[in-house]
């Protein structure tokens, strides 16, 4: 397994900074800079972006703040941008669908309702937010207006630049409805699409690039495949940064970081949950268990006994009360497991009997509340 370069302090617990410095605060702050009525510049971007009338926001999937030093030998442009930069927190779980919708709506997960990689639907089936089509209806499952919709309604031209395969999916509709969709199927195309929109005039441009995250999952952070993906990120950034028109700024963020997990750090949910579990969702670093009536206390006790220091195990009500999701809309709470397993250290809870085998065979993971996963960069180029 490749060394991912994480220091000990990367495993400390980080609480989501909703309302002061989280991914939920980014797009409202950008909209305020662009003059959208009612938008609040929570992050104080106005001074840095003084004179800017067009903003590109590029989300590099998997580029947590703790991956920046690891990427530095392969990404000089990224390293230059990171000098003197600031960080934000993801929401919980620190996973792609939750973060994309948190960025897109400008509200915490408890408000928008996308509360995990997978969650249980009211009918008992499991919804995979990455493989989501139109069932359930994304306008009902995620009822909050997006910041793109709000900006467009205020007369700000809005463009989304992303892969063609994501166009029209439930997740894209939930996170990014409201913008003109420009298909860009690789890094250079993302750069060209964002630059074309920024050069067209004032407005808001959102771009998404998934390759680094994919390489980490498949081969591990700092593996040869990941290093190549980091070089690709750097080429993408170089192209945009050196092509920005007058009056434009580029903001680079991520949805989460990643950490490598060895085989010995993998627990099978069947070995720790007892007989009371009737459903499993979430993901290996943020596992949701749904339990039979009367079984909650036994399942909690079993999970705590087996996982020990490798996880913070709480009930749904406890997880909500601890503030991980921000304010919780009552209609959304039942999507969360009765038991929430928040992994610590280099541990995951796999569920081969409940979900695709590949989910337990990845190299790098995310989803939990360590600094390595929760802390994401905010890089700015003008």
């Amino acid at each position: 397994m490749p060394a991912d370069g994480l220091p000990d302090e990367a495993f400390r617990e980080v609480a989501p900074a909703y309302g002061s410095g989280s991914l939920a605060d980014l797009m409202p702050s950008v909209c305020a800079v662009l003059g959208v009525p009612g938008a609040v510049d929570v992050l104080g971007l106005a001074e840095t972006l003084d004179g800017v009338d067009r903003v590109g926001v590029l989300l590099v999937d998997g580029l947590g703040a703790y991956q920046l030093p690891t990427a530095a030998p392969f990404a000089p442009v990224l390293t230059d941008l990171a000098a003197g930069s600031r960080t934000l927190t993801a929401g919980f779980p620190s996973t792609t669908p939750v973060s994309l919708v948190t960025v897109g709506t400008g509200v915490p997960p408890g408000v928008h309702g996308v509360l995990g990689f997978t969650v249980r639907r009211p009918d008992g089936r499991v919804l995979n937010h990455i493989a989501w089509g139109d069932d359930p209806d994304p306008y009902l499952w995620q009822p909050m207006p997006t910041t793109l919709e709000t900006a467009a309604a205020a007369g700000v031209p809005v463009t989304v630049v992303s892969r063609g395969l994501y166009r029209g999916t439930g997740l894209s509709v939930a996170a990014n409805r409201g913008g003109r969709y420009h298909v860009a199927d690789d890094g250079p195309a993302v750069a060209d699409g964002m630059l074309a929109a920024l050069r067209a005039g004032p407005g808001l441009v959102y771009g998404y690039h998934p390759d680094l995250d994919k390489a980490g999952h498949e081969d591990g952070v700092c593996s040869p495949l990941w290093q190549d993906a980091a070089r690709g990120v750097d080429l993408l950034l170089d192209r945009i940064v050196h092509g920005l028109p007058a009056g434009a700024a580029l903001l680079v963020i991520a949805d989460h970081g990643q950490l490598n997990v060895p085989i010995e750090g993998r627990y099978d949910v069947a070995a720790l949950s007892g007989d009371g579990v009737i459903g499993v969702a979430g993901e290996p670093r943020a596992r949701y268990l749904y339990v039979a009536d009367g079984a909650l206390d036994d399942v909690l006790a079993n999970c705590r006994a087996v996982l020990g220091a490798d996880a913070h195990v709480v009930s749904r009500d406890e997880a909500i009360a601890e503030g991980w999701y921000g304010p919780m809309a009552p209609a959304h709470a039942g999507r969360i497991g009765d038991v929430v397993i928040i992994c610590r250290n280099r541990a995951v809870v796999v569920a081969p009997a409940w979900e695709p085998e590949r989910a337990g065979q990845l190299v790098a993971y995310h989803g939990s509340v360590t600094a390595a996963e929760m802390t994401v960069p905010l890089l700015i180029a003008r």
Side-chain angles (χ1 to χ4, degrees):
M1 174 173 293
D4 55 20
L6 292 176
D8 290 344
E9 69 102 22
F11 292 89
R12 63 185 169 84
E13 188 175 282
V14 170
Y18 302 129
S20 60
S22 78
L23 287 176
D25 305 307
L26 177 74
M27 293 297 259
S29 298
V30 170
C31 286
V33 169
L34 294 176
V36 175
V40 179
D41 183 14
V42 176
L43 300 181
L45 297 179
E47 182 176 354
T48 303
L49 301 183
D50 182 45
V52 166
D53 64 5
R54 61 202 75 187
V55 177
V57 176
L58 174 65
L59 192 151
V60 179
D61 200 323
L63 184 65
Y66 281 86
Q67 278 68 64
L68 295 176
T70 306
F74 322 106
V77 176
L78 174 63
T79 302
D80 287 346
L81 287 178
S85 64
R86 62 189 290 188
T87 61
L88 304 173
T89 73
F92 176 77
S94 55
T95 195
T96 298
V98 177
S99 290
L100 295 191
V101 181
T102 299
V103 171
T105 59
V107 298
V111 179
H112 62 62
V114 176
L115 298 171
F117 191 86
T118 65
V119 298
R120 190 171 64 169
R121 299 160 41 130
D123 61 9
R125 291 183 290 163
V126 171
L127 172 62
N128 182 329
H129 285 116
I130 297 295
W132 179 14
D134 57 5
D135 181 22
D137 184 336
Y139 288 88
L140 300 177
W141 189 257
Q142 193 298 93
M144 299 300 295
T146 71
T147 53
L148 303 186
E149 287 180 300
T150 302
V156 175
V158 177
T159 304
V160 176
V161 181
S162 189
R163 299 294 201 266
L165 64 90
Y166 305 141
R167 185 174 191 170
T169 65
L171 181 56
S172 286
V173 172
N176 299 323
R177 58 185 181 247
R180 180 181 70 89
Y181 201 102
H182 177 93
V183 173
D185 287 327
D186 58 24
V190 170
D192 291 346
M194 292 187 71
L195 284 173
L198 290 168
R199 290 167 179 164
L204 174 59
V205 182
Y206 171 80
Y208 174 71
H209 183 61
D211 293 359
L212 193 73
D213 177 75
K214 183 175 185 290
H217 283 312
E218 294 181 354
D219 218 34
V221 175
C222 210
S223 66
L225 187 65
W226 189 92
Q227 293 173 21
D228 284 344
R231 293 184 182 98
V233 170
D234 210 54
L235 290 172
L236 163 58
L237 292 176
D238 185 50
R239 200 161 181 157
I240 298 177
V241 169
H242 291 99
L244 286 175
L250 173 69
L251 278 58
V252 182
I253 58 170
D255 48 351
H256 55 73
Q258 289 183 314
L259 54 88
N260 296 342
V261 177
I263 294 295
E264 57 269 23
R266 303 178 191 192
Y267 295 85
D268 189 329
V269 70
L272 56 87
S273 58
D275 297 328
V277 174
I278 58 174
V280 175
E283 61 186 290
R285 290 281 292 171
R287 182 60 70 191
Y288 290 162
L289 307 181
Y290 305 87
V291 305
D293 290 344
L296 178 60
D297 289 344
D298 286 344
V299 174
L300 283 169
N302 288 340
C303 290
R304 288 166 178 161
V306 174
L307 291 167
D310 278 339
H312 178 48
V313 181
V314 291
S315 69
R316 173 195 297 129
D317 290 345
E318 289 170 329
I320 293 171
E322 289 175 4
W324 294 114
Y325 304 96
M328 179 59 64
H332 300 157
R335 301 172 187 180
I336 303 168
D338 299 295
V339 173
V340 180
I341 301 174
I342 304 173
C343 287
R344 296 168 169 153
N345 306 319
R346 293 187 187 270
V348 294
V349 176
V350 300
W354 294 88
E355 63 188 15
E357 185 178 4
R358 181 178 175 274
Q361 297 178 337
L362 305 177
V363 180
Y365 292 84
H366 52 79
S368 190
V369 298
T370 68
E373 298 155 280
M374 288 286 289
T375 312
V376 299
L378 172 56
L379 315 178
I380 301 177
R382 289 192 60 181

